[in-house]
């Protein structure tokens, strides 16, 4: 699919926004990262009076063939489907944080190894019943990969059509930290052993085994394009997030990037369309060891560092009130002139 994504280059607006921020009743720079966020969202929306409408977090769920043997994950593959039911029953952390912060929540079956049938609240975008094990075969076909990207894009179009202009992504899939580790290594050129962490709770010895398995799998294929990297090693949920990032940037939405797996999807999107970086806010540093290195590679500072490594979009949901505060001060805080306060002149 082709996406028409633009770099944000309106220098006149940037100057206007910066002047507006600097002339609020505060010392220049005193609101720190909030000022950077306000400036970025104003640039994304092409206005000095931005607004956040219908904030939404979409969790994409899918299974991974490499998890079937249980060598790289302490939890069985069945947990993916069980967690989808938990999301639907409003029992997960992401449900709590979305409800608390008035964020719309959506859950997508991108490729869970379970037949949910027709179930209220679940978006059926299933590509297959999990990917293949990339120790033995490419995770998916090129056709499946492109279809996942398209379905992710279409889901964003639907959200945008409801008025949503700020979107975050989460994921659920036993084994997806393995996929994310390989993607990270490919796109950043960091050795695979430095990209592998504890995932859902591996001990030191099992992490070493996981590193060896993934290092061997990494050498199974020689991708010639970024799409082939996703095809060989990705998950259906990761490919859908790539398509979702493309479409959200194309529609000039603000994109909240969550933790390790979502940032791995972002790396794939960024490699294909580097323009997407202008639209993304990195909400937190995951406790997964590779995530900090991903952010360093991108030269991006996250909003939060709370040691979270749950996934599900929880970092984005917890960071959203801070993003909301940035827009609020820009729009409603008095200027030196309106307040009759002497400024720094």
């Amino acid at each position: 699919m082709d996406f028409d994504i633009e770099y944000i280059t309106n220098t006149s607006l940037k100057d206007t926004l910066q002047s507006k921020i600097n002339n609020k009743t505060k010392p220049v720079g005193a609101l720190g990262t909030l000022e950077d966020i306000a400036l970025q969202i104003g640039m994304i929306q092409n206005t000095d009076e931005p607004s956040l409408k219908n904030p939404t977090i979409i969790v994409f769920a899918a299974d991974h063939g490499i998890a079937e043997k249980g060598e790289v994950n302490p939890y069985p593959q069945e947990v993916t489907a069980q967690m989808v039911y938990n999301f639907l029953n409003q029992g997960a952390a992401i449900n709590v944080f979305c409800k608390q912060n008035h964020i719309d929540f959506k859950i997508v079956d991108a490729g869970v190894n379970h037949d949910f049938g027709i179930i209220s609240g679940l978006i059926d975008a299933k590509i297959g019943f999990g990917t293949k094990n990339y120790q033995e075969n490419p995770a998916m076909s090129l056709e499946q990969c492109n279809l996942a990207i398209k379905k992710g894009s279409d889901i964003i179009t639907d959200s945008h059509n409801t008025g949503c202009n700020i979107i975050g992504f989460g994921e659920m899939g036993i084994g997806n930290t393995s996929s994310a580790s390989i993607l990270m290594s490919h796109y950043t050129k960091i050795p695979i052993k430095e990209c592998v962490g504890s995932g859902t709770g591996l001990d030191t010895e099992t992490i070493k085994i996981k590193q060896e398995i993934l290092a061997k799998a990494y050498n199974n294929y020689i991708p010639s394009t970024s799409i082939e990297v996703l095809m060989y090693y990705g998950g259906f949920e990761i490919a859908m997030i790539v398509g979702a990032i493309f479409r959200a940037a194309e529609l000039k939405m603000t994109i909240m990037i969550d933790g390790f797996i979502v940032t791995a999807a972002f790396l794939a999107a960024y490699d294909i369309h580097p323009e997407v970086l202008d639209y993304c806010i990195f909400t937190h540093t995951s406790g997964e060891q590779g995530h900090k290195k991903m952010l360093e590679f991108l030269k991006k500072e996250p909003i939060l560092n709370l040691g979270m490594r749950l996934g599900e979009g929880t970092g984005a949901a917890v960071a959203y009130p801070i993003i909301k505060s940035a827009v609020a001060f820009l729009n409603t805080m008095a200027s030196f002139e309106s307040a009759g306060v002497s400024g720094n002149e």
Side-chain angles (χ1 to χ4, degrees), residues 175-185 233 238 260-261 264 294:
N176 64 9
T177 58
S178 296
S179 181
S181 296
I182 294 182
L183 295 177
M184 172 189 172
S185 184
Y233 303 111
I238 292 174
F260 184 58
I261 290 95
M294 286 174 163

Side-chain angles (χ1 to χ4, degrees), residues 249-272:
E250 185 176 44
L251 292 169
K252 296 180 169 52
M253 300 170 74
T254 299
I255 304 169
M256 298 182 289
I257 299 295
D258 188 49
F260 184 58
I261 290 95
V262 174
T263 306
F266 173 82
L267 288 172
Y270 176 68
D271 194 66
I272 299 167

